[in-house]
Amino acid sequence: MEGSWLTLILSMCLMTIILLLLVRRGKFLYTLRKVPYPPALPIIGNAYQLCCSPEEAFKKMIKWGQELGDIYLVWVGMRPFIFLYKAEAIQPLLSSSIHIDKSLEYKYLQPWLGSGLVTSTGEKWHFRRKLLTPTFHSGLLEVYLKTAIREAEVLISCLRKEIGKPAFDIVPYAKRATLDVICDSSMGCNVNAQTNFKNEYVQAINTLASISQRRFLNVWMSFDPIFKLTRWGQKYNHALGVTHEFVNRIIAERKAEWKAKKYRNCSEQSNKHQALLDLLLELSQDGKVLTDDDIRDEVNTFMFAGHDTTATSVSWILYALGRHPEYQEKVLNEYYEVTKTKQLTLDVLSKLTWLEACIKETWRVYPVAPLIARQIYHPITILGHDIPIGSTVLVNSFLLHRDPRYFPEPDTYKPERFLPNGPKYPPYAFIPFSAGSRNCIGSKYAIMIVKILSLFILKNFHVISLDTEDQLRFSSELVLHNANGLRLKITPRKQELDVIILHSMHSNKVKEKC
């Protein structure tokens, strides 16, 4: 009898739990009943429609946005992904100090980035953000400027071998250049990615970034037990080991140098904080505030968040200007008018209004981060819809930046929109660095790198883009790619031609002597 009663009680408890879960799920679904979505299957939702190439998935997201109105959702299994692309829709989300949690997919970055600024949340994120914000002051940007100029000169020398060729992809060149700039700025060391393609750390960074982005869209690779058994998982773990070992070694070396200088001469030490790592070591207070693992997380975050996004920016800017060469001349005419005999400084860069306008218009048409994702842990109302806890909300900046209310002829490249006397836009209509409390902490640093690399290439080469806009095949991972790369053709400008001739003459003289 006792066994029968126990079985009955356990059965009733189980049924109660199931009933409560069904009621909870019913309320969840009822709350979202008025948000439109494309036709979905039971259980798997729209997942079957997204089991395709990143290019096809991005096309579907854009198509659904154009067909379903100002807000729609996609069911991936039992999870709703809610897409927004109107300024008034994203404002309550991005302006909030509560809704700062990245989507669950960011867990794929944690083995690499740990609890750095990109992946952390809550009190830890608030503390780190406040701690790290002063590290991007203007004095330090002047130091980083010298690094960017040096690596831009290396980039020009690397690109000379592409002169006369019918086409080449600018993206790998831009990635290697930004990796060199940011590695020097963050760790104070040179990996020479532009000239040493086989550097193990450079290859590991590229592997981690590529595989992490694949996991964001591949349903099967999202499960750790399955992912670890794949060759992608094995490649990822090897690259992770290489990256952590390299950064740990650099931290140990710089820590020893930093301590030695501190005891020898405090004033000398304080004047030589030329890398982010030096500043983190000072902020760490010998491990009391930041541990070595914390420092490694922030350095890795800086490397990850910085090099791919800035490289993508530079690549799209050159593509856009290669399609609209008249703006190349406007940028250069203003540059020579402003600089004359002056050195290139942050102040000079700030006066190049045509360069900045071209960059901003490129970010509008080809946003570097086309999707910004937040996980909802507190209720929020958007466009009259109550978004329940457990939802994932995504801001589609590709569509946001094409809102004809603010950007007439939205598909047309018109940098005039962003000249100082151009129209003013609502705060959330244009968000190249996101917006609100979780905007990009290194935006000024990124803008500086993008301006320097773009400017140096335009000074030395006339750029022609070989693919028309309708030939582009957009692919959205963490950044906006073109599936075939960005094919350019370059010809030397007069001053670059003089350099090539002098170099050739020098080479011939050397041969004659030999």
Side-chain angles (χ1 to χ4, degrees):
M1 275 300 277
E2 289 183 7
S4 300
W5 277 107
L6 183 60
T7 302
L8 180 62
I9 291 169
L10 289 175
S11 298
M12 290 179 67
C13 288
L14 181 60
M15 289 178 65
T16 302
I17 291 170
I18 292 172
L19 183 62
L20 289 172
L21 289 174
L22 287 173
V23 169
R24 182 178 174 184
R25 183 67 184 175
K27 287 182 177 178
F28 185 86
L29 295 173
Y30 184 78
T31 306
L32 293 171
R33 71 194 184 282
K34 292 184 179 178
V35 181
Y37 58 89
L41 294 176
I43 309 298
I44 65 171
N46 303 104
Y48 74 99
Q49 293 161 288
L50 296 174
C51 283
C52 54
S53 68
E55 178 191 349
E56 286 302 315
F58 188 74
K59 275 185 185 176
K60 288 176 182 177
M61 291 176 198
I62 300 302
K63 178 173 172 282
W64 290 333
Q66 293 167 342
E67 291 177 351
L68 296 173
D70 295 347
I71 180 173
Y72 76 91
L73 68 81
V74 170
W75 289 102
V76 180
M78 307 294 279
R79 283 181 64 194
F81 288 78
I82 300 166
F83 287 81
L84 311 174
Y85 30 89
K86 296 292 183 183
E88 57 270 32
I90 70 171
Q91 183 165 358
L93 180 74
L94 297 187
S95 64
S96 169
S97 59
I98 298 172
H99 301 287
I100 62 169
D101 296 86
K102 297 292 182 75
S103 72
L104 299 178
E105 283 66 32
Y106 276 78
K107 68 183 179 182
Y108 306 142
L109 298 172
Q110 285 182 339
W112 179 16
L113 307 185
S115 57
L117 272 183
V118 165
T119 52
S120 61
T121 190
E123 287 303 315
K124 175 175 273 193
W125 177 81
H126 281 288
F127 173 74
R128 292 279 181 90
R129 175 81 183 206
K130 187 176 180 181
L131 186 73
L132 295 176
T133 296
T135 63
F136 291 95
H137 61 78
S138 58
L140 197 60
L141 287 179
E142 287 285 2
V143 176
Y144 292 160
L145 176 68
K146 295 174 184 176
T147 300
I149 290 173
R150 185 187 70 233
E151 296 302 334
E153 290 169 346
V154 176
L155 174 59
I156 297 307
S157 66
C158 291
L159 286 173
R160 286 189 185 122
K161 68 180 182 183
E162 301 294 350
I163 293 173
K165 291 186 179 179
F168 73 99
D169 184 6
I170 187 61
V171 177
Y173 284 98
K175 280 191 175 184
R176 290 191 289 265
T178 56
L179 190 59
D180 273 342
V181 173
I182 292 173
C183 196
D184 187 76
S185 300
S186 62
M187 291 183 282
C189 67
N190 297 316
V191 293
N192 300 317
Q194 297 195 78
T195 53
N196 182 9
F197 302 168
K198 294 182 179 180
N199 181 291
E200 195 176 23
Y201 175 71
V202 172
Q203 292 177 333
I205 288 285
N206 288 331
T207 297
L208 290 174
S210 175
I211 295 176
S212 296
Q213 293 186 96
R214 283 173 180 267
R215 294 192 74 189
F216 271 72
L217 287 174
N218 190 306
V219 174
W220 298 110
M221 285 175 69
S222 65
F223 299 107
D224 278 336
I226 296 176
F227 173 68
K228 288 176 181 177
L229 294 174
T230 65
R231 70 184 176 92
W232 294 111
Q234 292 162 8
K235 286 179 69 175
Y236 184 90
N237 283 337
H238 174 73
L240 191 65
V242 169
T243 303
H244 283 346
E245 183 182 351
F246 178 83
V247 176
N248 286 341
R249 177 168 55 80
I250 296 296
I251 289 173
E253 289 173 0
R254 295 298 284 248
K255 195 173 184 179
E257 291 175 11
W258 183 79
K259 283 185 176 180
K261 289 177 182 177
K262 182 180 178 183
Y263 288 118
R264 276 204 315 269
N265 188 332
C266 290
S267 62
E268 176 194 346
Q269 194 273 337
S270 64
N271 289 329
K272 293 194 174 181
H273 286 168
Q274 295 189 357
L276 175 70
L277 178 53
D278 295 310
L279 297 165
L280 292 174
L281 287 170
E282 182 176 314
L283 292 171
S284 74
Q285 296 182 21
D286 289 331
K288 294 173 187 174
V289 177
L290 295 173
T291 66
D292 284 359
D293 284 348
D294 293 333
I295 293 172
R296 185 188 68 194
D297 291 346
E298 296 303 346
V299 169
N300 281 334
T301 295
F302 191 57
M303 291 295 301
F304 163 75
H307 96 276
D308 209 14
T309 52
T310 49
T312 302
S313 284
V314 171
S315 302
W316 280 115
I317 289 159
L318 293 173
Y319 167 79
L321 291 175
R323 290 289 300 148
H324 304 276
E326 66 274 18
Y327 291 111
Q328 295 182 44
E329 305 313 314
K330 290 180 184 293
V331 167
L332 290 176
N333 289 340
E334 183 180 55
Y335 166 73
Y336 289 119
E337 176 64 29
V338 170
T339 55
K340 293 181 180 174
T341 58
K342 295 178 187 174
Q343 263 191 327
L344 193 55
T345 62
L346 291 177
D347 182 57
V348 168
L349 280 181
S350 69
K351 294 175 181 175
L352 303 180
T353 57
W354 271 110
L355 176 62
E356 184 153 327
C358 289
I359 290 171
K360 285 183 175 179
E361 178 68 347
T362 304
W363 283 337
R364 185 191 70 80
V365 181
Y366 310 110
V368 175
L371 296 174
I372 300 168
R374 293 283 187 273
Q375 197 65 25
I376 302 302
Y377 291 108
H378 305 277
I380 183 173
T381 300
I382 297 174
L383 296 179
H385 298 279
D386 294 326
I387 308 301
I389 294 169
S391 304
T392 302
V393 178
L394 297 102
V395 175
N396 187 329
S397 56
F398 189 90
L399 288 176
L400 173 73
H401 290 173
R402 283 173 162 76
D403 190 333
R405 295 177 300 170
Y406 309 119
F407 306 106
E409 299 179 79
D411 295 325
T412 304
Y413 185 79
K414 295 174 67 176
E416 292 85 352
R417 305 178 205 266
F418 291 100
L419 289 174
N421 59 351
K424 305 302 177 188
Y425 305 109
Y428 292 86
F430 177 65
I431 53 168
F433 292 100
S434 188
S437 60
R438 196 134 199 181
N439 66 344
C440 176
I441 190 174
S443 58
K444 290 181 180 178
Y445 171 71
I447 291 170
M448 180 200 72
I449 295 175
V450 169
K451 283 183 176 180
I452 290 292
L453 295 183
S454 303
L455 184 61
F456 267 65
I457 292 172
L458 293 175
K459 277 171 56 184
N460 288 276
F461 308 110
H462 178 75
V463 178
I464 302 168
S465 297
L466 300 178
D467 296 312
T468 60
E469 286 78 4
D470 60 355
Q471 291 174 316
L472 295 174
R473 295 168 53 200
F474 296 116
S475 170
S476 172
E477 293 173 350
L478 289 176
V479 294
L480 183 69
H481 295 294
N482 185 48
N484 294 330
L486 291 169
R487 300 186 310 133
L488 305 181
K489 180 180 178 181
I490 55 173
T491 55
R493 293 190 184 273
K494 184 180 183 305
Q495 63 270 33
E496 174 64 14
L497 196 57
D498 292 343
V499 170
I500 294 170
I501 292 169
L502 286 171
H503 179 73
S504 176
M505 291 171 63
H506 176 72
S507 298
N508 290 334
K509 285 181 181 178
V510 170
K511 287 178 183 176
E512 287 173 9
K513 287 180 181 178
C514 293

